[in-house]
């Protein structure tokens, strides 16, 4: 009971102390909103900046031909359900008749796709019949908001853990806490709970903004649970960075955090899919930690499907490792 009381009091103090700071408010609320608005307004015509994937049923040659264009990427052996969930255009070829399934996002490319199909069959003197059906209201904002939520778990997890720890060290608050009955593990748990709270605040602000853009997320226990896990993973990483930094050079932990966070943020699938990046970095963009977490979040709140269990297991495993290592390194009584 005493342990719980000390943790709750510490969490309350952390929340009150930091949420009164305008700089903190900027990073957990204003910054996510600004970056969402910036990318949403500038890149609202999302599909114009990358190859639109077209899943073809019934004609492998047509799919291969689409790959030779500068607009479309043709694939086969994909179900209509999978295509709808991942914003592919889906084409069923039946002789001279074609049924095209598309999202609202990709409707502007249907006339171009019809012309490309006619070019593919140009040696055959025939009339082609196209039926176009809209299968989802997917837009760039669905993609963007889900990516921003992943970024929130990254930035709050690493930057807030290091920021609070470093500022409390510089202001000698850690020294006062070290003379109190508060134990090191209670301090670590309190800090983790604080980071989770501000992550939920940031996520709520971005989701409200997304709703104004017409994005209605699928919010469930699975999403909230995974958001907490993602935040714990990056929070543990932040604790490791801070714990390994010599305390006479504590500013280095904040430099390392920024050097790590911003490349991960912009070299990820948060704003654009991996296939828009140069081939030399495409694999990294697709499988780096933030991209994996965003992929799982996107599956949960955009597509409403169960994420890849292997990816979830990997994230969960690394979360345990980082939390354990970070908890051992983030000691309360380490003042020399």
């Amino acid at each position: 009971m005493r342990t719980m009381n000390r943790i709750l009091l510490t969490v309350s103090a952390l929340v009150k102390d930091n949420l009164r700071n305008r700089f903190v408010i900027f990073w957990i609320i204003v910054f996510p909103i600004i970056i969402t608005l910036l990318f949403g307004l500038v890149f609202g015509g999302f599909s114009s900046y990358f190859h639109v994937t077209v899943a073809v049923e019934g004609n492998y040659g047509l799919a291969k031909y689409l790959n030779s264009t500068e607009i479309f990427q043709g694939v086969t052996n994909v179900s209509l359900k999978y295509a709808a969930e991942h914003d592919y255009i889906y084409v069923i070829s039946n002789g001279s008749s074609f049924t095209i399934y598309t999202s609202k996002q990709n409707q502007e490319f249907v006339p171009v796709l019809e012309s490309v199909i006619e070019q593919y069959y140009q040696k055959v003197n025939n009339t082609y019949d196209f039926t176009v059906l809209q299968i989802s209201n997917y837009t760039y904002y669905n993609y963007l908001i889900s990516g921003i939520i992943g970024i929130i778990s990254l930035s709050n997890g690493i930057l807030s853990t290091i920021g609070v720890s470093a500022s409390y060290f510089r202001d000698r608050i850690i020294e006062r806490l070290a003379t109190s009955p508060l134990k090191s593990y209670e301090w670590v748990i309190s800090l983790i709970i604080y980071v989770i709270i501000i992550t939920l605040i940031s996520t709520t602000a971005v989701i409200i903004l997304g709703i104004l853009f017409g994005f209605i997320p699928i919010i469930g226990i699975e999403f909230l649970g995974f958001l907490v896990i993602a935040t714990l993973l990056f929070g543990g990483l932040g604790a490791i960075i801070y714990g390994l930094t010599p305390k006479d050079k504590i500013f280095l932990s904040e430099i390392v955090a920024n050097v790590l966070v911003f490349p991960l943020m912009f070299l990820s699938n948060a704003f654009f899919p991996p296939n828009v990046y140069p081939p030399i970095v495409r694999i990294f963009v697709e499988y780096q930690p933030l991209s994996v977490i965003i992929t799982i979040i996107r599956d949960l709140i955009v597509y409403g499907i169960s994420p890849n269990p292997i990816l979830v297991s990997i994230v969960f495993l690394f979360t345990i490792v980082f939390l354990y290592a970070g908890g051992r390194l983030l000691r309360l009584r380490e003042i020399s």
Side-chain angles (χ1 to χ4, degrees):
M1 182 61 72
R2 290 180 179 178
T3 294
M4 183 58 67
N5 286 338
R6 285 195 291 265
I7 290 174
L8 291 176
L9 287 172
T10 306
V11 171
S12 176
L14 283 168
V15 171
K16 291 178 181 178
D17 183 29
N18 288 280
L19 293 189
R20 288 173 180 168
N21 188 320
R22 294 179 181 178
F23 184 74
V24 174
I25 292 295
F26 172 83
W27 280 107
I28 69 172
I29 296 179
V30 179
F31 176 72
I33 289 177
I34 288 176
I35 200 168
T36 303
L37 287 172
L38 178 63
F39 277 85
L41 294 174
V42 174
F43 299 106
F46 176 61
S47 296
S48 302
Y49 299 92
F50 66 98
H51 287 73
V52 179
T53 302
V54 179
V56 180
E57 179 184 322
N59 193 323
Y60 174 80
L62 174 59
K64 187 176 180 180
Y65 180 75
L66 290 172
N67 282 324
S68 66
T69 69
E70 296 182 355
I71 301 175
F72 301 109
Q73 179 179 0
V75 297
T76 56
N77 299 320
V78 171
S79 67
L80 176 59
K81 181 176 182 294
Y82 184 90
E85 290 167 347
H86 293 81
D87 196 37
Y88 296 173
I89 296 177
Y90 193 83
V91 177
I92 299 177
S93 174
N94 184 16
S96 61
S97 296
F98 300 88
T99 303
I100 300 175
Y101 296 87
T102 181
S103 67
K104 181 179 179 181
Q105 169 87 8
N106 290 327
Q107 277 185 331
E108 62 181 302
F109 293 97
V110 171
V112 181
L113 177 60
E114 292 175 356
S115 297
V116 171
I117 292 174
E118 289 177 344
Q119 289 175 12
Y120 175 72
Y121 288 100
Q122 63 183 343
K123 294 182 180 180
V124 180
N125 185 17
N126 207 339
T127 301
Y128 302 98
D129 178 46
F130 295 98
T131 302
V132 180
L133 302 173
Q134 182 177 319
I135 53 176
S136 76
N137 290 317
Y138 181 94
T139 67
Y140 176 57
Y141 302 110
N142 301 50
Y143 194 93
L144 176 63
I145 298 297
S146 53
I148 294 294
I149 292 173
I151 288 175
I152 287 171
S153 70
L154 168 74
S155 60
N156 283 350
I158 294 180
L159 296 179
S160 295
T161 299
I162 292 176
V164 171
S165 300
S167 64
Y168 277 31
F169 180 87
R170 284 193 293 264
D171 295 341
R172 309 183 76 87
I173 296 175
I174 289 293
E175 290 187 18
R176 296 200 294 271
L177 291 175
T179 60
S180 72
L182 190 69
K183 297 179 173 59
S184 285
Y185 76 87
E186 294 171 343
W187 163 244
V188 172
I189 293 173
S190 302
L191 186 57
I192 287 172
I193 293 175
Y194 162 73
V195 171
I196 291 172
I197 289 172
I198 64 172
T199 296
L200 293 175
I201 292 173
S202 301
T203 301
T204 300
V206 169
I207 286 177
I208 291 173
L209 180 63
I211 291 173
L212 297 178
F213 281 118
F215 168 51
I216 307 300
I218 304 170
I219 304 296
I221 297 299
E222 295 87 354
F223 162 66
L224 294 175
F226 184 77
L227 181 61
V228 169
I229 290 173
T231 305
L232 292 177
L233 184 150
F234 291 122
L237 181 57
I240 291 172
I241 294 171
Y242 176 81
L244 291 175
T245 304
K247 297 305 172 281
D248 59 336
K249 298 179 180 179
I250 202 65
F251 66 92
L252 289 176
S253 64
E254 295 170 304
I255 294 175
V256 171
N258 284 287
V259 168
L260 179 64
V261 166
F262 285 95
L264 286 178
M265 181 189 307
F266 290 105
L267 286 176
S268 74
N269 61 356
F271 307 112
F272 305 107
N275 63 339
V276 308
Y277 293 90
I280 193 171
V281 298
R282 194 171 296 164
I283 297 297
F284 172 80
V285 169
E286 187 168 2
Y287 294 107
Q288 58 111 320
L290 178 60
S291 291
V292 170
I293 283 170
I294 290 173
T295 296
I296 296 172
I297 290 175
R298 201 164 274 147
D299 285 343
L300 291 170
I301 71 168
V302 176
Y303 306 130
I305 60 175
S306 298
N308 187 324
I310 296 177
L311 294 183
V312 175
S313 299
I314 291 173
V315 170
F316 188 72
L317 176 62
F318 274 95
T319 299
I320 293 175
V321 172
F322 286 174
L323 276 180
Y324 177 78
R328 295 294 298 269
L329 291 169
L330 194 64
R331 297 183 299 273
L332 180 61
R333 293 166 181 83
E334 55 187 354
I335 310 300
S336 57

